[in-house]
Amino acid sequence: MTKGRKPIPTAIKEIRGTIQPCRVNKNEVKIDALEKLPSVPRWFTKTQRKIYKTKGDQLRMLGMLTPLDFELFISFCREYGNYIDTATELEKISLLTEMSESDENIFKRMSKINKESWERSKVIASEFGFTPSSRAKMIVPSSEDPTENDFSS
């Protein structure tokens, strides 16, 4: 028998606008979002640092980056940075020129790394709402008065 759907955290239900009091897990662990983005890991490349700062600030502003999510976010920055770096290197190689066997092996290896990094970063990105399909499921809360909701009491 299968396990069924993964439970959706209450914070994501709030962002999507699909929260219903009868379906809220009353025992759900509440974790506060990061107030400030920690310093960039020293071992990040220049590209990974840029991704860390831009996406980290975006997630922090939305209140979606918690201390528990941080390792997954670092993995996203690494994978997406690797994808961009290898794509940049692959663009420099002309496919019309003759390659030696060792150059061809390097090209194939870089192409494989590029593809794998893209796939891994895409999976992680969907967890944070970075993909169009995962973002379409979210609703940004408006600045309107929440008491004007038809379903509020």
Side-chain angles (χ1 to χ4, degrees):
M1 191 169 224
T2 61
K3 295 181 182 180
R5 292 183 183 176
K6 291 191 300 185
I8 299 171
T10 304
I12 298 221
K13 289 179 185 177
E14 288 174 355
I15 291 171
R16 288 180 181 173
T18 60
I19 192 162
Q20 295 178 14
C22 62
R23 294 186 181 165
V24 172
N25 181 0
K26 292 174 178 63
N27 297 324
E28 183 177 9
V29 177
K30 306 257 190 264
I31 301 169
D32 292 331
L34 290 174
E35 293 287 324
K36 183 182 174 201
L37 198 60
S39 59
V40 181
R42 291 187 315 255
W43 41 269
F44 268 14
T45 65
K46 185 179 177 181
T47 307
Q48 292 168 346
R49 288 173 185 272
K50 186 176 178 181
I51 294 165
Y52 178 90
K53 289 177 183 175
T54 57
K55 296 296 181 191
D57 283 338
Q58 291 169 354
L59 286 172
R60 192 183 54 74
M61 298 278 279
L62 289 170
M64 292 180 61
L65 189 60
T66 68
L68 289 179
D69 305 326
F70 196 67
E71 285 80 14
L72 187 62
F73 175 66
I74 287 176
S75 295
F76 168 76
C77 294
R78 285 195 63 196
E79 292 300 333
Y80 193 58
N82 287 343
Y83 165 72
I84 291 174
D85 288 340
T86 54
T88 304
E89 289 300 314
L90 287 170
E91 286 291 321
K92 295 177 184 176
I93 300 170
S94 173
L95 299 177
L96 301 176
T97 59
E98 198 66 35
M99 285 193 236
S100 67
E101 190 175 328
S102 63
D103 288 343
E104 192 172 330
N105 287 338
I106 291 170
F107 179 80
K108 287 178 182 177
R109 193 171 310 139
M110 282 182 65
S111 296
K112 183 177 179 184
I113 291 169
N114 182 266
K115 181 182 176 187
E116 289 174 354
S117 291
W118 170 250
E119 293 298 323
R120 287 190 293 253
S121 68
K122 190 170 65 168
V123 168
I124 298 170
S126 69
E127 295 291 330
F128 286 111
F130 289 158
T131 62
S133 61
S134 64
R135 192 171 44 251
K137 297 174 186 173
M138 297 183 179
I139 297 172
V140 178
S142 63
S143 60
E144 297 174 9
D145 187 11
T147 57
E148 294 181 18
N149 186 344
D150 293 339
F151 298 105
S152 64
S153 48

